[in-house]
Amino acid sequence: MIQLENLVKRYGQNKALDGLSLSVAAGESFAFLGPNGAGKTTVIRILNGMTAMTSGRALIGGHDLAKEPLAVKKLCGLAAQNLNLDGELSVRENLEIHGLLFGMNGTDRQERSQELLKYVDMSERADSLVKTLSGGLKRRLMIARALLHRPRLLFLDEPTVGLDPAIRRRLWGLIRKIRQDGVTVFLTTHYIEEAEFLADRVAFIHRGRLVNQGTPPELMAALGAWAVDRFNDAGIETRYFQTREEARNHLSENEFEGTLRRVNLEDAFLAQTGKRVAE
Ligand code: ATP
């Protein structure tokens, strides 16, 4: 569904993307995990025609982005990081405008809006002004709007940023449902649990480069399954073990206060880049 070859994006002297190549299969849920400024949003902006790449090639659903931008646009839905809804209009009107922009006819716009409001469990809010919605509802509406024209590929840029944990989990349920319904999902996040929960495959991105990619278990397996964190004056020192028993033994053999936990994607990212995803 997505094939990126050596994508470069320069802003003056700064390289936001420094030769990024990757592919995403149809039906997959793929997450870009990386700290602020890593280049995640830049990829999404390029693939959605919001900024031009400096060099490289992007194929979406077999269409070359540079040569067939409209064909690509039809295939893609985007829920951007910033809440770019019109607060003075109702929920239904926000969907209506999107449908008009994508050339959907009146009946189709109405039926599809109703269907999607039901899908994101917002039917009873159809006539509410968007400015009266909570953050979680606005995010759900952004996703409904992105799906309105039936894209085969959905981009979600930091879909749950700033939401409280319960609302975040509810959105995760919705995103999983979308993927189960056959839409390819490409999301960016700097939340470890979000990538672990939602993604079939995760790519680590750091300073505009792809550092590693694989399924979450593959990315973590290189370190082991269990971690012991030891807190000292310099910060946290972590050791990794294949089994819980080995980790427990390490704790009991050494006289320090430590915490035993499962290895996570943050460990894998840190091991590869020397940097934490969220700092
Ligand atoms: P965040 O989660 O903070 O958005 P990100 O991984 O999405 O982080 P990008 O927004 O893609 O990162 O930014 C990558 C780099 O490009 C950063 O160094 C950023 O400062 C720079 N950058 C992004 N947009 C612009 C712009 N319009 N002009 C100049 N530099 C930019």
Side-chain angles (χ1 to χ4, degrees), residues 11 14 16 35-42 81 158 190:
Y11 290 107
N14 183 15
N36 288 336
K40 307 181 296 295
T41 299
T42 301
Q81 192 171 338
E158 299 275 2
H190 63 273

Side-chain angles (χ1 to χ4, degrees), residues 226 228 241-253 260:
W226 294 90
V228 173
F241 302 89
Q242 287 304 332
T243 65
R244 189 176 189 145
E245 197 185 356
E246 285 168 353
R248 277 227 180 98
N249 289 344
H250 175 70
L251 265 175
S252 58
E253 283 161 13
L260 177 66

Side-chain angles (χ1 to χ4, degrees), residues 9-12 14-17 32-45 51 81 157-158 161 188-190 205 207-208:
K9 175 70 182 177
R10 280 181 194 278
Y11 290 107
N14 183 15
K15 262 191 189 169
L17 297 177
F32 247 171
L33 185 68
N36 288 336
K40 307 181 296 295
T41 299
T42 301
V43 174
I44 295 223
R45 285 174 54 80
T51 189
Q81 192 171 338
D157 194 2
E158 299 275 2
V161 75
T188 77
T189 185
H190 63 273
I205 179 166
R207 296 191 180 131

